Amino acid sequence: VIFGMHSLFTPILVNELASYGVTYVLCRALAANFAMAGAALGVGLRAKKAQNKSLGISASITALLAATEPALYGVLIPLKRPLIAACAAAGVAGIAVGVFQVHAYSMGSFNLFTLAYTIGGDTMTNFYIACGCAALAFVLGVVFAWLFGIKEED
């Protein structure tokens, strides 16, 4: 997202959906988006400065509901350590997404409203696993951001 390289995945996702009816590649973003939301909340909970607290909590809510850019550009990149925490959380959750072969039946950015992209097929198992992976990414984001700490400048 920082350099706009995520747009290069669009043809791959469209081809995957057209060829197979599902996309596995997109679901890796599920882990990243929820990990960023969790890391931003971790900053909000750990920060001592009121500005960082409010920014972390509000960016976390925004990331859960729609856009991750406020969390990424407003919290994670400026404070650096939470960005590393989010990457680590996304990596662990991304492994779970891959191991459980979570897939989506539609295309778009993952958040609480769009977890429904994973509903399809004969059972709800894929959706339940996707929700579990999203929760894992979020919780690990909070925990890792808390453990890695933040350096607040005066």
Side-chain angles (χ1 to χ4, degrees), residues 34-137:
F34 282 92
M36 281 191 274
L41 180 62
V43 168
L45 296 174
R46 176 90 190 242
K48 291 183 177 33
K49 289 175 64 176
Q51 180 181 2
N52 287 342
K53 276 190 175 299
S54 65
L55 187 59
I57 292 169
S58 64
S60 177
I61 292 168
T62 304
L64 285 172
L65 299 180
T68 57
E69 284 81 5
L72 182 62
Y73 296 117
V75 179
L76 304 179
I77 291 174
L79 296 174
K80 296 174 186 67
R81 287 183 182 182
L83 178 62
I84 296 167
C87 290
V92 173
I95 290 170
V97 167
V99 166
F100 291 111
Q101 298 182 358
V102 175
H103 50 279
Y105 295 91
S106 185
M107 207 171 86
S109 180
F110 270 104
N111 57 55
L112 286 176
F113 298 121
T114 59
L115 275 171
Y117 292 164
T118 60
I119 297 174
D122 296 335
T123 69
M124 293 288 287
T125 305
N126 185 60
F127 174 70
Y128 297 142
I129 294 171
C131 289
C133 290
L136 175 68

